[in-house]
Amino acid sequence: MTPTPPTPPGVKRLSGRLGTGSIVFMVIAAAAPLTVIGGNVPIAVGSGNGAGAPVGFLLAALVLLVFAVGFVTMTPYVRDAGAFFSYASAGLGPRAGLAAAFVALVAYTAIQVGVYGFLGWALGDLVTFFGGPTLHWGVYAFVALILVAVLGYRHIELSSRVLGIALVAEITVVVVLDAVIFSTGGAEGIAWSTFSAENVFSPGLAISVLFALTGFIGFEATAVFRDEARDPARTIPRATYLAVIIIGVFYAVSCWALITGAGADGAVALAKATLAGDANMLMDLTGRYLGPIFQDITQVLLVTSLFACVLSFHNIIARYQFTLAGRGALPRRLGVVHGRHESPAFSSMVQTITAAVIVGAFALFDVEPLVGVFGSMAGVATVGMVLLMLLTSVAVLVFFSRNAQVRRALIGRAVVAPIAAVIGLALSLWLVLSNFTLVTGGSVALSIVLALLPVAAGVVGAAWGGRRRIGEIQVPDATPTAAIAVARAQDDMIDG
């Protein structure tokens, strides 16, 4: 393995001892699995291809796994913790890198604000359910925001522990529900019809894939934490593949379990009732198979799932700003490391203020928290993330194209996989845009404006990159011998 290039003058790095499990925890927590099971699954079943919806989650996972092959292959040559920014810069130059960074900041900020809206509503609903006062969703969102600010200011290990506890609890309750449904045979026996061609390829498959993709937002953040990882060369590849596989399988199996629990035909009816506000697919089936106590526990865990999600995105955004500041793209003050907590403390505070201003504006204008805040912001984030992965796949192709010997030696990883990812992601982007009003819940005009926000951010970033002198991303030479050695080492580490 070639040595890590020296840190550029004036650029400080974060530090930590995060292992593969800790990073996977944070990435899966950002995906908010319980939230996806309770929110995205009913949409995929009720508005998508019905009983065939679980295959939509598997297809989305397959696209992201193909993307991850090129992403991981290039990882040893990108030693900066900037994820999409660093990869695009190394492959396509600093302008493209800064365009990617601005798109990422908008996308992550949007999804975080959206989840604050969902969390404010869910926490308010929980408080009133247990006899508490009825308050505006914005009050509860700001309570959560303050807690996130405290945790985000401190060392990443604290956030990791909090996220780990929350994640284990929410996954446990869903796994128990899945196990009970499958062991009892559900309403009509195990729904093997889920995998029939008639159900999988029925009208609405595109919608199922679309809402499956939104459930994976943040999985690439494994690379954001590379400076705080115990062994980045070993940890980042493992964490990336594990995150995609675990999330994809968990979503697909849980979606299949809910369909089995309600019966193939009953699941569609229950999902449609959920979308109409007359039922709650996850909570109703939890009560039916696990009883009212587990139903109450699940409702509490939905809140902790959403909290874990906003905390994860807070940490991701703070580190994006930190990396950009170190490269001169943002004010240097954002690149300061806290002397005691060894965290990007100032960047974390700025992120808190940014979130507070946007959430406060939504609350002030009394925007409906689920459709108005969460739906619209999730739409912006989905467009942004698919664009970023598309750009990154192109960057991988260009990066390895500079050395013909390496390209031939790693043709499957460095050429075939990125090309397949570009095709799959381009189709995914078309699915997102062609069904965008379903994501945002708004008018066509509003949906167009929201869809253009990430594009506008990329244009501004590219223009900003032309005006600023951005520090170059230093990468080791991808010689054929070294490249093959790295690829084999990755295989050994993943297998081991």
Side-chain angles (χ1 to χ4, degrees):
M1 173 79 74
T2 46
T4 301
T7 301
V11 176
K12 295 183 178 180
R13 291 186 180 274
L14 300 172
S15 63
R17 299 283 299 166
L18 296 177
T20 300
S22 295
I23 294 178
V24 170
F25 269 139
M26 283 188 282
V27 171
I28 297 178
L34 188 60
T35 305
V36 173
I37 301 304
N40 292 36
V41 166
I43 298 174
V45 175
S47 299
N49 58 336
V55 177
F57 288 95
L58 292 177
L59 290 175
L62 179 61
V63 170
L64 298 186
L65 270 177
V66 173
F67 163 79
V69 172
F71 184 77
V72 165
T73 301
M74 189 172 168
T75 293
Y77 308 102
V78 183
R79 304 297 178 82
D80 287 275
F84 290 135
F85 159 69
S86 299
Y87 286 73
S89 294
L92 303 173
R95 278 201 178 197
L98 208 53
F102 276 49
V103 173
L105 286 175
V106 167
Y108 285 132
T109 299
I111 192 62
Q112 186 196 35
V113 169
V115 175
Y116 269 123
F118 198 159
L119 176 56
W121 172 85
L123 187 54
D125 188 55
L126 181 66
V127 170
T128 55
F129 177 80
F130 287 109
T134 301
L135 301 175
H136 192 276
W137 67 265
V139 174
Y140 294 109
F142 267 88
V143 170
L145 195 147
I146 292 170
L147 291 175
V148 168
V150 172
L151 291 170
Y153 187 84
R154 298 173 66 85
H155 195 277
I156 190 66
E157 296 285 357
L158 179 59
S159 292
S160 174
R161 287 194 290 271
V162 172
L163 293 172
I165 294 170
L167 184 62
V168 168
E170 66 177 283
I171 286 182
T172 298
V173 74
V174 177
V175 169
V176 169
L177 176 61
D178 294 351
V180 170
I181 289 175
F182 284 126
S183 64
T184 59
E188 304 166 351
I190 296 177
W192 296 109
S193 60
T194 283
F195 305 102
S196 68
E198 180 183 1
N199 282 324
V200 171
F201 297 106
S202 64
L205 175 61
I207 296 173
S208 294
V209 174
L210 185 161
F211 282 96
L213 286 170
T214 65
F216 285 87
I217 292 177
F219 89 93
E220 81 299 329
T222 51
V224 174
F225 297 104
R226 78 167 292 124
D227 286 346
E228 294 155 287
R230 184 181 301 122
D231 180 2
R234 179 186 298 272
T235 301
I236 302 305
R238 278 183 172 178
T240 302
Y241 285 129
L242 278 173
V244 176
I245 293 170
I246 292 172
I247 293 172
V249 172
F250 182 80
Y251 288 165
V253 171
S254 298
C255 181
W256 183 26
L258 294 189
I259 292 169
T260 297
D265 294 330
V268 176
L270 182 57
K272 289 183 181 294
T274 300
L275 299 182
D278 299 325
N280 187 317
M281 190 174 191
L282 174 62
M283 298 302 173
D284 291 353
L285 290 174
T286 300
R288 184 187 307 178
Y289 286 93
L290 300 181
I293 294 177
F294 264 92
Q295 187 175 20
D296 292 346
I297 292 173
T298 302
Q299 191 164 356
V300 172
L301 291 178
L302 175 61
V303 172
T304 63
S305 172
L306 290 164
F307 180 79
C309 181
V310 291
L311 177 57
S312 293
F313 282 120
H314 175 95
N315 286 327
I316 292 169
I317 298 167
R319 281 151 182 77
Y320 252 105
Q321 293 174 164
F322 177 88
T323 300
L324 291 172
R327 291 293 165 188
L330 292 177
R332 292 281 182 183
R333 186 77 175 86
L334 291 168
V336 172
V337 179
H338 193 281
R340 182 158 61 94
H341 298 307
E342 296 183 323
S343 65
F346 186 77
S347 179
S348 178
M349 288 193 297
V350 170
Q351 207 293 298
T352 297
I353 294 170
T354 302
V357 169
I358 302 174
V359 171
F362 276 120
L364 183 64
F365 287 99
D366 199 24
V367 179
E368 198 278 325
L370 292 182
V371 176
V373 181
F374 179 71
S376 61
M377 293 298 97
V380 172
T382 303
V383 172
M385 297 313 295
V386 176
L387 282 173
L388 285 168
M389 288 188 285
L390 195 54
L391 181 65
T392 300
S393 294
V394 173
V396 173
L397 281 169
V398 173
F399 177 79
F400 285 111
S401 71
R402 295 170 186 154
N403 189 316
Q405 289 179 293
V406 173
R407 189 173 65 248
R408 286 195 295 269
L410 298 176
I411 189 167
R413 300 167 184 259
V415 180
V416 176
I419 289 175
V422 168
I423 295 171
L425 290 165
L427 289 173
S428 299
L429 184 60
W430 175 79
L431 291 178
V432 171
L433 294 176
S434 60
N435 295 279
F436 202 56
T437 54
L438 287 173
V439 183
T440 64
S443 65
V444 173
L446 176 62
S447 297
I448 290 174
V449 171
L450 292 174
L452 288 176
L453 284 178
V455 178
V459 172
V460 171
W464 185 251
R467 296 169 60 88
R468 306 276 295 187
R469 186 169 182 176
I470 310 300
E472 292 290 333
I473 297 294
Q474 300 185 33
V475 297
D477 291 332
T479 61
T481 302
I484 295 171
V486 166
R488 288 175 177 170
Q490 287 181 349
D491 289 341
D492 292 340
M493 287 183 289
I494 293 167
D495 292 339

